[in-house]
Amino acid sequence: MIRRTHPALSAWAWLVYAFLYLPIMVLVVFSFNDSRFGATWAGFTTKWYGVLFARADVREALAHTLEIALLSTLVSTVLGTLVGLGLWRYTLRFRTALTGLLVLPIVVPDVVMGVSLLMFYSFVRQGLERLGWTFDNGFWTVLLAHVTFQISYVALTVRSRLAGYGPELEEAARDLGATGLQSFTQVVLPLALPGVLAGALLAFTLSLDDFVVTYFASGSGFSTLPVLIYTNVKRGVTPDINALSALLVLVTVVAIVAANALLRPRRDT
């Protein structure tokens, strides 16, 4: 029996969706505005997308963003997958506490994580200076900062993917003569693979979009696309920055749709 939704509830849902997505739609529409300044529509044009990639600072920030996103996703996917498999496979004494520690970077406000990383890097720098070494905030500090919050998303996604399967599958493979490596590569890993890929896509998307943590962890001479957008917006919103924001939204939506498709239960399982 199909229950029909109350019209008032449907109207409220549409209002909520409009509140969430209308600002993004306005931004995307005005990225095609022929006017250089203001919110007055002066005609359709795609020239701002060409202007955008002609800027050296945009190309440099794009390169930094992709390097950080790809490397941090690779590292966090490997580490997060191992953590997720460990939580699924073994009955740990403090598993609930460990799961809570994994959730903590997700629920803690980004500004708190950014300030804590800034203080941590300052503390480490002071210690290294006593030994005659030093470093500046930049690529490596941003990379480490992104890995710290990406691991949680990957580990929890992998664990959720395997939650419906018991360790008896691996034990059955061992009873049939498979070695430990064969039972892992031919039984456990194929089951976990959609979760691993979905977690990697989420990690990549979060790295692309992150502003707050990157802003605190990066130095004055290093910026990613979100930081560059913030720096430019302080001088006024222009169509080329709208175009850059629209491209970030597009990449994010594609990655999220792909991650959801990977996590969707298959009908033959």
Side-chain angles (χ1 to χ4, degrees):
M1 179 179 178
I2 300 176
R3 300 181 61 181
R4 303 187 61 179
T5 306
H6 194 279
L9 184 59
S10 297
W12 178 251
W14 281 111
L15 283 174
V16 171
Y17 281 118
F19 178 76
L20 290 175
Y21 293 108
L22 272 179
I24 297 176
M25 292 176 64
V26 170
L27 180 145
V28 173
V29 169
F30 273 86
S31 68
F32 299 100
N33 187 9
D34 199 23
S35 173
R36 173 67 180 169
F37 301 102
T40 303
W41 182 259
F44 180 86
T45 182
T46 58
K47 66 179 180 182
W48 301 117
Y49 287 87
V51 171
L52 180 68
F53 289 104
R55 290 175 50 176
D57 57 342
V58 172
R59 293 199 301 271
E60 183 181 24
L62 175 63
H64 290 161
T65 303
L66 293 177
E67 289 170 355
I68 292 290
L70 291 173
L71 282 176
S72 63
T73 298
L74 178 63
V75 174
S76 63
T77 299
V78 173
L79 297 178
T81 299
L82 293 176
V83 174
L85 289 174
L87 290 174
W88 169 77
R89 178 64 178 81
Y90 300 103
T91 305
L92 303 175
R93 185 177 180 183
F94 302 105
R95 185 161 62 176
T96 303
L98 290 174
T99 304
L101 288 175
L102 277 177
V103 175
L104 197 60
I106 298 175
V107 299
V108 167
D110 287 350
V111 66
V112 175
M113 178 167 283
V115 172
S116 64
L117 285 167
L118 183 64
M119 295 298 296
F120 173 73
Y121 291 145
S122 177
F123 174 77
V124 172
R125 186 182 298 107
Q126 290 177 9
L128 290 178
E129 284 176 351
R130 296 190 183 96
L131 301 175
W133 301 332
T134 187
F135 66 91
D136 296 323
N137 286 5
F139 178 86
W140 295 107
T141 54
V142 174
L143 177 66
L144 181 60
H146 282 212
V147 170
T148 55
F149 65 78
Q150 287 174 308
I151 287 177
S152 297
Y153 288 92
V154 177
L156 293 176
T157 305
V158 172
R159 188 194 171 197
S160 300
R161 170 64 186 175
L162 294 173
Y165 305 99
E168 58 271 11
L169 291 174
E170 191 177 6
E171 295 170 0
R174 300 290 297 272
D175 291 340
L176 293 173
T179 63
L181 181 61
Q182 288 174 330
S183 63
F184 175 75
T185 57
Q186 298 180 18
V187 177
V188 177
L189 192 57
L191 293 174
L193 190 58
V196 174
L197 296 176
L201 282 172
L202 285 175
F204 183 77
T205 305
L206 291 167
S207 177
L208 282 181
D209 290 345
D210 182 76
F211 163 71
V212 178
V213 174
T214 305
Y215 185 76
F216 282 98
S218 62
S220 58
F222 185 87
S223 67
T224 59
L225 287 179
V227 176
L228 179 69
I229 291 173
Y230 172 75
T231 305
N232 282 263
V233 165
K234 286 194 297 185
R235 296 194 295 266
V237 179
T238 54
D240 51 346
I241 294 301
N242 289 341
L244 180 58
S245 304
L247 290 176
L248 275 177
V249 171
L250 177 63
V251 173
T252 303
V253 170
V254 170
I256 290 176
V257 170
N260 286 333
L262 289 170
L263 287 174
R264 186 178 304 163
R266 295 177 58 183
R267 293 183 178 180
D268 57 346
T269 58

